[in-house]
Amino acid sequence: MIRAKFFAHTALGLALALGVTATSATQVMAKAKEEKPKETKLSPSKAYIPVYIASKAALDAAVKRPDVIAARKVVTDAQTAADAARTKKAQADAQVRTTAAVTALGGLLTAEKAQMEIAVTTGTTLDDKELSGQLLYSLGDLAFDLGLQRRGLQMRIDSGKNPATLMPVLYAKVASLSYDLKDYAAARAGSQKAIELGYTGTDAGINIAQSYIKEGQPAAGLKVLHDLTVKGGASAPENWFNYGVAQAYTAKLPGEASYFGSELVSRFPTVPNWTLAIVVVRDLNQYQGLDQIDLLRLMERTRSYSESRDYVDYVQALSKRGMPGEALKIIDEGVAAKMLMANDQFVIDAKRESVTRVASDKASLAAQERDARGPRATAAAVSAAADTFLSYDQPAKAEELYTLALAKPGVDPTKIYLRLGIAQADQAKYAEAQANFAKVTDARAPIAQLWSAYARSKSAGK
């Protein structure tokens, strides 16, 4: 066997590097802006009024203090750097700076925090609680203190002094803050309550999905995300599918990976998305022989190779199956793309072997077809002949023979349906191809689903 000496990236590193952007609540969710409630007349208790006035004055003064303003800028600069970071080390370093900046800002507001606690403990009525909640949330916003913000919003919810139209938003914001605080059970509970009350923002559902995943329940989280994509229809955003593919890969859930991958490339058939979807399906299922070739053929059709390993795996699989013409084509494509080096010993050996065999292989095509069409031809013989014609880029001839093979006793129908669909897709018979891909329900189904997505995107002109 020809052996390669090319370095291959780890599959996980490749999958996570390709287009996965939905890794935290702040990246995935567009947080709901708090609505202005209708004017609600509050009647605070007599003892609470002076404390509230003092607390509000302290907060208003802190907002204008130069040291607080400067410290807030340090925080926002650190957050900007964190958002722009692209490597794990840069992200970690930026997070350390952000945490330190928030801590320093909080230290400047120690007196204001103490004053707010006095207000909270002085309040005795629900009206007092609503006002204290407003103060706590405002101070938390000033200090970038998520815990204070959540506590303030929860007090407002518990006060019962807000209009019904505002309650879904308050619960959604509490859920978002809980997620960022890594309190995932609270994040789910808040999101579910917001949805029950009529909240329509997609962030609540995403919050639930991600909270499950963060808690180590990927199957439950991906089920929620699956349902969201179905409900979202054509408006479901690309990063939901990218996120689903990556998380399914990490959790080693091939069925979920197949769904999110095929939907991703059907809706957003970019080269990076095709690379991600194919690599994940290939590595999770470990296909061999012609099944591996069928998957790598899709990588060739979509020009979604990402590294030399892709070409090497393809060429080696073709060499094992005795398909020198297709192997020669892939070698030449790899060299032209500068992912294979013409002077590499693997390339030299593989090309020599293919060139040596291709002439006699082509010369046998007519005899293979004649024998395959004979009355005594077995399903295996007809299928093998069809495989050869497909390998030599003669999809129309391959389609005829695959159709003939389906009528033979002892045929493996799912294998034939898959390759019949490929032959039809290569002829732009996309509807027929999709119909045959849908008949593949065994272990090859993930391959068929990706090919069906290819046919679907092509028929849509993408």
Side-chain angles (χ1 to χ4, degrees):
M1 180 183 75
I2 301 170
R3 303 195 69 85
K5 298 180 181 178
F6 294 92
F7 174 77
H9 298 306
T10 64
L12 177 59
L14 178 58
L16 295 180
L18 290 171
V20 181
T21 58
T23 56
S24 75
T26 53
Q27 291 173 318
V28 175
M29 299 191 305
K31 294 182 180 178
K33 293 183 178 180
E34 187 174 348
E35 298 175 3
K36 292 271 187 184
K38 294 179 181 178
E39 193 67 32
T40 302
K41 185 172 178 60
L42 297 174
S43 301
S45 64
K46 187 174 181 181
Y48 181 78
I49 293 173
V51 177
Y52 172 79
I53 292 173
S55 301
K56 182 68 165 60
L59 178 62
D60 291 343
V63 171
K64 300 175 183 177
R65 276 169 43 194
D67 59 337
V68 172
I69 293 171
R72 279 179 56 81
K73 186 176 186 307
V74 174
V75 175
T76 56
D77 288 348
Q79 289 178 332
T80 300
D83 291 340
R86 290 294 175 264
T87 67
K88 287 185 177 180
K89 184 179 185 307
Q91 291 168 352
D93 291 345
Q95 186 56 53
V96 169
R97 290 195 298 273
T98 300
T99 301
V102 170
T103 300
L105 174 59
L108 297 177
L109 296 168
T110 301
E112 288 76 12
K113 291 178 182 179
Q115 180 63 45
M116 295 306 163
E117 292 303 327
I118 294 173
V120 170
T121 56
T122 302
T124 57
T125 69
L126 293 177
D127 290 49
D128 297 345
K129 178 175 282 193
E130 169 64 20
L131 290 169
S132 291
Q134 292 178 16
L135 289 172
L136 278 178
Y137 179 80
S138 296
L139 179 60
D141 188 50
L142 179 66
F144 291 94
D145 188 324
L146 304 184
L148 272 182
Q149 291 178 46
R150 181 173 71 163
R151 184 180 167 201
L153 290 176
Q154 190 61 54
M155 288 182 70
R156 295 192 61 189
I157 289 172
D158 295 342
S159 76
K161 292 296 179 178
N162 292 281
T165 55
L166 183 57
M167 297 305 291
V169 177
L170 292 178
Y171 274 108
K173 288 175 72 68
V174 165
S176 176
L177 290 164
S178 295
Y179 183 94
D180 289 340
L181 288 165
K182 296 182 172 55
D183 187 349
Y184 300 122
R188 275 197 304 279
S191 294
Q192 288 166 347
K193 186 64 176 178
I195 293 169
E196 287 172 13
L197 294 176
Y199 185 72
T200 57
T202 57
D203 52 294
I206 292 296
N207 200 330
I208 294 171
Q210 290 192 300
S211 68
Y212 276 123
I213 291 170
K214 289 292 186 180
E215 276 192 339
Q217 301 182 65
L222 291 173
K223 174 62 169 64
V224 173
L225 185 59
H226 172 280
D227 293 346
L228 285 171
T229 62
V230 172
K231 183 178 180 180
S235 63
E238 182 176 0
N239 67 346
W240 287 8
F241 298 99
N242 264 303
Y243 181 71
V245 173
Q247 294 304 317
Y249 178 88
T250 302
K252 301 295 183 282
L253 297 171
E256 288 83 347
S258 181
Y259 167 76
F260 286 106
S262 60
E263 287 296 317
L264 173 67
V265 293
S266 175
R267 299 162 185 250
F268 310 99
T270 64
V271 168
N273 286 345
W274 273 113
T275 302
L276 174 62
I278 294 173
V279 165
V280 166
V281 166
R282 180 176 69 180
D283 288 359
L284 284 182
N285 294 279
Q286 295 293 307
Y287 291 111
Q288 300 296 321
L290 277 173
D291 295 334
Q292 181 187 26
I293 289 170
D294 289 336
L295 187 56
L296 291 171
R297 279 172 173 158
L298 183 56
M299 188 171 274
E300 192 271 337
R301 304 300 194 272
T302 57
R303 292 296 186 268
S304 55
Y305 300 106
S306 68
E307 56 183 348
S308 60
R309 169 199 166 184
D310 301 327
Y311 290 94
V312 170
D313 286 353
Y314 197 175
V315 171
Q316 289 184 322
L318 291 166
S319 297
K320 287 180 184 178
R321 300 298 301 189
M323 296 178 168
E326 189 171 356
L328 190 60
K329 179 181 74 170
I330 301 309
I331 292 168
D332 290 342
E333 288 180 0
V335 171
K338 299 188 181 339
M339 285 196 180
L340 295 180
M341 298 296 104
N343 60 355
D344 184 273
Q345 193 60 49
F346 166 77
V347 175
I348 293 172
D349 292 344
K351 189 162 188 175
R352 181 190 304 116
E353 179 181 311
S354 296
V355 169
T356 300
R357 296 168 60 187
V358 73
S360 60
D361 197 49
K362 281 184 175 181
S364 70
L365 287 177
Q368 283 191 62
E369 181 182 3
R370 183 183 64 249
D371 292 344
R373 293 183 184 279
R376 296 183 180 180
T378 64
V382 179
S383 175
D387 290 340
T388 301
F389 280 103
L390 184 63
S391 181
Y392 276 109
D393 292 325
Q394 297 188 45
K397 191 85 71 176
E399 180 185 10
E400 292 177 15
L401 294 175
Y402 284 130
T403 302
L404 183 61
L406 282 172
K408 297 286 184 177
V411 68
D412 179 353
T414 57
K415 178 180 73 173
I416 302 301
Y417 284 131
L418 174 59
R419 287 168 201 147
L420 174 58
I422 293 172
Q424 290 168 332
D426 282 349
Q427 299 174 77
K429 296 180 178 180
Y430 299 125
E432 296 96 322
Q434 289 181 74
N436 282 309
F437 291 137
K439 297 173 185 175
V440 181
T441 56
D442 61 2
R444 302 180 182 94
I447 303 174
Q449 287 167 6
L450 285 178
W451 269 100
S452 185
Y454 170 77
R456 194 157 61 246
S457 68
K458 285 292 187 180
S459 65
K462 295 182 180 179

